[in-house]
Amino acid sequence: MTIETLSTAPRPHRAKKSPTTRKTSLHRLRAKGSIRDEDLSAFVLPRYLDREGFTSRSVNKDGLVGLLVTGTIAPGRADWCDPLSILTGHPVAEENRTSLALFLVRTEKGVYGLTYGMGHLMIDPVRIDPGFGIEFAVRCLKEDRITKVRRQVMDARGRTDENSATSGEHIRGFGIEQFGEIVSQISGQIENVPLTFAKGSKRPAHVTGNDRSVKIHLGSSPAALLHDLQRIEEVCARPNPLPEFEFIAQVRPLSPKSEQAQNLDARLDAMLGEGQTSRLALAVPSVCREHFEFAESFRVTLAGHAGQYADLDVEQFVAAVQRCPEGGRLRALREGRIQMFASTDDSEANSGKVPVDHWLTAEVPDGVAHFFYWQGKWYEIGAEYLTVVEKRIAELLAQPAGVTMPPWTIEMCDTGEKCGKPEKHKRHNAHDEDWYNKEVAAQDGYVLLDKNNVHTERLRGGGLEIADALGPQGQFICVKKAASSTAPLNHLFAQGRTGIETVRFDLEARKDFLSKVDELSPEHPLDRSFSSPTLVFGILLKDGAELTPDSLFAFAKISLLHTATALQGMGARLEIVSISRTAQRGMADAAAG
């Protein structure tokens, strides 16, 4: 028998192999002049160049040229030490330490900042190219391997959503609206980019692109890093995004401190000084949207004056800041505050104090692109995007309507003559929506629903107005008068969409609604299955202007397209009627034509 003896001798030590790549945050930076002549230290905030404990060193190694800035911030004991000591009875004396590293690299085509730890804090934010991360991602991501999307709805809701899929799914699975949603971050696998990470690795490369940077595995040697930067530049040089991502690249936020945003601030400030309101409108800030419809008054503090108002108006804001010195008008709007109240005085607040400029939207065209000021920030929207939006809006407005909308006339003065400017008179006002809804319902076959709310447990006793009137074939008619503000239109679109959703999917609400219709008009030919309802928006613009793609403000168009998409998904038909001051519109229009 042979006995084998296992050796217990120690194995020879193997040095740990250095990784060939490291996941790094990469920023593309904007040079003010020639890339070759730009002083790299100009991209760094001066306080970090002069700060004690920070060092700056030039780099010129194997063709890699740049500037390395590193340091550690140690502010002393953490602010939670004292309360934790009191809570536990044990002394706690720990220190916060924050490390920062920034490596600025110059290539033939650009300047890049590689950041480690909190190194991004050292970059002058004005120099960061905010379009880089999304620009790169939408040109190389695999459309069916997206792992995370963060987006913001560009309308009165101002909602931000973030959705993840651990194993990745198709971009269409994230339910992104192709109109009016700003994708500020997108993550996933990339393909057709020969990065160092992909060499000899079975794992696919994964990147995250946002509105400031790209997080990506980059080579750890000078040659590998330069190779990867060149491949990234090649991707960004591709003329167009991949087809599935084209809509993402059409809307991008601008850094508030960028030169472009500051130039737009100056143009908006000049518009305010000239009293221009044609490209300005109101939109409800996201923080106020939920309670806006219950607001009875608004406390406005602006440019040194304060007052309580029943309504808000763009002209009111412009007049308040128009005489401010150049450069101070937009600043006055940003420093001003608006608070909503559920009472006609200031006894029942239902919002916080929100900056006035967050209630303002503005449109500034500049060549083929348009820029929009919304929720206190600037956004760039490409020409192709606007063309598609205009086309879709024109198609919606061209849909024939099956209802007739009577004229929304001006109230007569005591003399029997029409009042040209009733808003200027104390005793005479234009006819309100209550009056007009009754005019609509007075037609044969129509039913008045205004203020006839549906009540269910789900609605918590508040009730819901399904529509203002029913048309002769069961059309749901919602009416709104809108002057220069987008807020009434946003409310109109939300009312219509919510009404259709409620009668289709809330059984209790549907029963309550049908019982009301039976009381009001038992023989009405309403489709009680609500499988393919028709929703009609009747809109009166200022002075009875015709409803066209040009007469609707940009964000009202976005809200309308969102509503149209949602209604289409519910099998509903949408019709829009431009209400006139002098003539019938809708089905009567079509018959006359």
Side-chain angles (χ1 to χ4, degrees):
M1 182 173 70
T2 302
I3 299 177
E4 296 184 359
T5 302
L6 296 177
S7 172
T8 59
R11 296 181 179 179
H13 175 72
R14 293 183 181 179
K16 186 177 180 180
K17 188 177 180 181
S18 299
T20 58
T21 64
R22 179 183 175 85
K23 182 165 276 192
T24 308
S25 292
L26 179 69
H27 300 73
R28 188 170 65 190
L29 307 179
R30 291 174 166 175
K32 290 185 176 179
S34 167
I35 294 172
R36 180 173 297 181
D37 300 330
E38 187 86 28
D39 180 3
L40 293 181
S41 64
F43 295 95
V44 186
L45 291 171
R47 64 177 178 270
Y48 291 103
L49 295 172
D50 304 331
R51 188 172 184 138
E52 184 179 353
F54 279 67
T55 57
S56 302
R57 289 156 285 183
S58 297
V59 175
N60 192 339
K61 180 183 179 184
D62 299 335
L64 189 64
V65 178
L67 176 69
L68 175 63
V69 185
T70 61
T72 299
I73 299 173
R77 295 176 74 236
D79 61 0
W80 42 261
C81 291
D82 288 343
L84 191 56
S85 298
I86 295 170
L87 178 67
T88 63
H90 296 288
V92 179
E94 305 298 339
E95 187 179 68
N96 279 325
R97 297 180 67 84
T98 303
S99 59
L100 300 86
L102 168 63
F103 182 26
L104 295 164
V105 179
R106 193 196 316 265
T107 71
E108 292 184 1
K109 295 183 178 179
V111 176
Y112 298 88
L114 287 71
T115 62
Y116 306 85
M118 299 297 287
H120 63 277
L121 297 176
M122 292 192 285
I123 303 176
D124 184 346
V126 172
R127 296 299 198 100
I128 294 176
D129 183 348
F132 169 57
I134 299 297
E135 176 186 322
F136 174 76
V138 299
R139 283 167 170 77
C140 62
L141 282 170
K142 296 181 70 173
E143 63 190 38
D144 57 350
R145 287 293 182 269
I146 306 301
T147 56
K148 180 183 289 186
V149 173
R150 180 187 300 154
R151 76 245 195 206
Q152 187 171 22
V153 180
M154 192 169 57
D155 67 5
R157 291 172 288 176
R159 189 187 70 240
T160 298
D161 290 333
E162 185 171 302
N163 303 97
S164 301
T166 305
S167 59
E169 66 174 86
H170 200 284
I171 182 64
R172 288 194 294 268
F174 287 87
I176 304 173
E177 283 274 6
Q178 295 203 8
F179 299 102
E181 288 204 351
I182 304 159
V183 174
S184 57
Q185 180 175 306
I186 185 167
S187 305
Q189 295 178 16
I190 62 174
E191 60 180 354
N192 300 325
V193 186
L195 296 170
T196 302
F197 180 82
K199 295 179 181 178
S201 174
K202 295 181 180 180
R203 289 191 301 155
H206 187 277
V207 304
T208 295
N210 59 39
D211 51 10
R212 290 176 61 86
S213 65
V214 173
K215 197 159 192 176
I216 187 172
H217 277 275
L218 294 175
S220 297
S221 70
L225 176 58
L226 287 173
H227 166 86
D228 289 344
L229 290 178
Q230 289 170 359
R231 302 294 83 77
I232 290 170
E233 289 176 338
E234 289 170 359
V235 170
C236 291
R238 295 173 185 173
N240 298 304
L242 296 169
E244 290 286 350
F245 302 104
E246 284 183 345
F247 71 96
I248 294 177
Q250 289 295 326
V251 181
R252 67 186 188 100
L254 302 181
S255 169
K257 295 184 178 181
S258 67
E259 291 183 32
Q260 196 168 40
Q262 291 175 6
N263 290 336
L264 290 167
D265 280 355
R267 291 185 62 180
L268 177 53
D269 189 86
M271 289 168 57
L272 294 168
E274 294 166 3
Q276 293 185 25
T277 59
S278 59
R279 294 188 178 273
L280 301 176
L282 296 180
V284 183
S286 57
V287 295
C288 298
R289 186 66 189 91
E290 183 178 353
H291 300 291
F292 175 74
E293 62 185 290
F294 304 110
E296 294 292 333
S297 66
F298 304 85
R299 180 74 173 176
V300 180
T301 305
L302 179 61
H305 300 280
Q308 200 85 9
Y309 301 90
D311 294 295
L312 299 176
D313 190 78
V314 168
E315 285 82 0
Q316 167 191 0
F317 297 157
V318 174
V321 302
Q322 188 172 358
R323 297 186 180 277
C324 291
E326 182 179 350
R329 305 171 192 115
L330 180 54
R331 183 171 65 249
L333 290 176
R334 288 171 172 165
E335 293 174 351
R337 294 292 183 268
I338 295 176
Q339 186 172 21
M340 300 192 306
F341 293 86
S343 54
T344 55
D345 55 18
D346 59 359
S347 62
E348 190 179 347
N350 64 352
S351 82
K353 296 179 181 179
V354 180
V356 175
D357 73 306
H358 285 209
W359 289 81
L360 180 73
T361 61
E363 178 183 358
V364 178
D366 188 10
V368 297
H370 278 228
F371 298 91
F372 292 93
Y373 192 75
W374 175 73
Q375 302 270 340
K377 295 181 181 179
W378 285 104
Y379 295 84
E380 179 180 356
I381 299 185
E384 293 180 8
Y385 178 94
L386 290 173
T387 300
V388 175
V389 168
E390 298 289 309
K391 180 181 177 182
R392 286 282 303 276
I393 292 295
E395 290 172 353
L396 285 174
L397 297 180
Q399 291 266 37
V403 301
T404 298
M405 304 300 287
W408 195 324
T409 58
I410 298 290
E411 188 177 10
M412 294 290 184
C413 291
D414 292 340
T415 61
E417 298 179 357
K418 284 188 177 180
C419 178
K421 294 184 177 180
E423 68 277 5
K424 302 294 184 181
H425 295 184
K426 293 182 179 180
R427 296 177 56 194
H428 307 295
N429 297 302
H431 290 304
D432 59 15
E433 289 182 16
D434 178 70
W435 173 89
Y436 185 74
N437 289 330
K438 292 174 181 175
E439 290 289 301
V440 172
Q443 303 175 104
D444 290 341
Y446 292 72
V447 180
L448 181 65
L449 297 176
D450 185 29
K451 298 182 177 61
N452 206 332
N453 293 358
V454 169
H455 296 268
T456 68
E457 288 186 10
R458 184 181 67 85
L459 298 172
R460 299 179 182 177
L464 175 70
E465 185 179 277
I466 300 297
D468 294 312
L470 277 181
Q473 300 302 319
Q475 300 96 328
F476 294 83
I477 303 173
C478 296
V479 171
K480 189 61 66 177
K481 177 168 63 173
S484 59
S485 170
T486 61
L489 291 179
N490 287 323
H491 176 72
L492 173 71
F493 303 150
Q495 176 198 3
R497 173 178 174 171
T498 303
I500 296 297
E501 287 176 339
T502 300
V503 296
R504 275 184 58 82
F505 304 121
D506 188 325
L507 182 59
E508 185 183 359
R510 184 192 303 183
K511 289 180 178 178
D512 189 24
F513 175 71
L514 289 174
S515 67
K516 290 181 183 296
V517 173
D518 287 339
E519 291 175 9
L520 296 167
S521 180
E523 304 300 323
H524 196 280
L526 175 67
D527 177 10
R528 292 169 176 260
S529 70
F530 302 109
S531 58
S532 55
T534 296
L535 175 64
V536 180
F537 288 141
I539 300 173
L540 174 70
L541 292 183
K542 189 175 183 179
D543 301 324
E546 182 71 20
L547 197 60
T548 68
D550 291 333
S551 60
L552 275 177
F553 191 72
F555 294 119
K557 298 176 191 177
I558 298 301
S559 288
L560 180 55
L561 289 179
H562 281 186
T563 301
T565 300
L567 291 169
Q568 185 178 24
M570 291 186 282
R573 173 183 171 84
L574 177 62
E575 299 173 358
I576 304 170
V577 180
S578 178
I579 299 173
S580 168
R581 286 289 193 192
T582 58
Q584 288 184 332
R585 291 284 176 82
M587 188 167 60
D589 244 1

